[in-house]
Amino acid sequence: MTPFPFSKSPATVLPQSPPYYLSNFGYWDGEISYETAGLRFVAEFAEGCQLEEKTKILEVGSGLGGSLVYFANKYNPKKLSAINLPGEQSDFAKQLFTDNKIIVSPFLEGSWEKITTLDDSSYHYVFSLDASYHFENLNTFYRESYRVLEPGGRLVFTNFQITEKKMKNFWWLYLPFLIPKGNLKLVEETIQDLKSIGFKQIKEENWTKPVLYGFIKYSEILPASLKIFGKILNWFTKQFCLSYHYHVFEK
């Protein structure tokens, strides 16, 4: 989640359902607490791409590690791997994996570019939950994801998009969300970027209402910093054409 890009703060500020410590925006359709909405987000993410059991999963930007614990417990994967920036979140995640006897290998601490050290055609899924829109050189991340996926493998990610092309001229307005200039794109531009690499589009869903608007409403009862962030997020979705989408692409 943007207010906590490199810390473990969500584990204590937001109500959680151990061992699923999460740092996403939550999926709020019918939910009233982050304790269920955060977990619902991971469930919707997995079900939307038809995640299968006994597969090989790489999560890029794994945060507190709760989503990997969820995948391990529900889908019995053949292999779990992760890439995440070093710091409190990664330290928290590693302890979480140890406590729950979950093997995440390799667990690479660094920026997304660590994916270049992984073998070709070595995963069935590459996931990025609430993370990839922060990445510099996002198109290169897409290409590297294509490389490490097996034929038929899927890249699944959530993304901030703009609904009007003119907003690219105001890229600096979006810096509070840690979105680099080049990542501000229309949905159709993102789709074209991925198709040009060789991906086939499987699914695209607008999650602005169940995710962003849900979090905005919930943020009204959160501590001051998150309450302010919620107001800013609301302003951007309504005044500056910011939307939030779920994408599934297949190699």
Side-chain angles (χ1 to χ4, degrees), residues 8-76:
K8 64 179 181 180
S9 299
T12 54
V13 174
L14 299 173
Q16 304 275 358
S17 297
Y20 306 112
Y21 291 97
L22 302 164
S23 54
N24 58 59
F25 279 108
Y27 193 98
W28 297 90
D29 183 21
E31 311 295 344
I32 60 173
S33 170
Y34 187 80
E35 190 170 12
T36 56
L39 197 58
R40 175 80 177 278
F41 182 101
V42 180
E44 294 286 340
F45 187 98
E47 291 169 12
C49 67
Q50 299 177 313
L51 179 58
E52 298 178 354
E53 293 188 357
K54 299 185 182 301
T55 54
K56 293 176 285 185
I57 301 168
L58 168 66
E59 184 175 0
V60 185
S62 53
L64 297 170
S67 52
L68 288 166
V69 175
Y70 179 88
F71 302 144
N73 289 343
K74 187 171 178 62
Y75 292 96
N76 190 26

Side-chain angles (χ1 to χ4, degrees), residues 18-21 69 73 95-103:
Y20 306 112
Y21 291 97
V69 175
N73 289 343
Q95 187 60 54
L96 185 67
F97 302 148
T98 298
D99 291 345
N100 289 278
K101 297 180 173 57
I102 292 171
I103 297 173

